[in-house]
Amino acid sequence: MANKFKKKHDVNISVIQLDPSEIKAEILLSAEDGGLPDIIIIPSDFLGMHNLMKLYPIPQRWYRENLLQQ
């Protein structure tokens, strides 16, 4: 996903993969320090912590009922 975006928009993207046991702590610490990334992919069971993680909801206009596989 990141490589496609990088090629299409000619930008640099850093991808960091965290150990599953460290993800929640890293996100919460980063949120406190104000150092969250622009995009983060997390397990859906973390969404209940969106306020602590200082995550913003996805705008409704970004949703599509029928997602096309590419």
Side-chain angles (χ1 to χ4, degrees):
M1 180 172 32
N3 286 333
K4 279 184 176 181
F5 188 87
K6 194 185 319 191
K7 287 178 185 175
K8 184 176 181 178
H9 299 284
D10 193 30
V11 295
N12 289 323
I13 297 175
S14 296
V15 176
I16 299 170
Q17 185 171 348
L18 299 171
D19 184 277
S21 64
E22 299 172 359
I23 293 173
K24 193 180 292 185
E26 287 291 329
I27 293 169
L28 291 172
L29 289 172
S30 295
E32 265 189 35
D33 293 339
L36 285 172
D38 293 325
I39 296 174
I40 187 168
I41 299 172
I42 57 173
S44 61
D45 55 333
F46 287 19
L47 295 179
M49 300 178 65
H50 70 280
N51 288 332
L52 290 173
M53 294 180 183
K54 299 180 183 173
L55 302 177
Y56 292 96
I58 297 172
Q60 190 65 35
R61 69 180 187 278
W62 289 10
Y63 288 100
R64 287 189 285 165
E65 286 191 31
N66 298 320
L67 296 176
L68 302 175
Q69 288 189 348
Q70 297 180 9

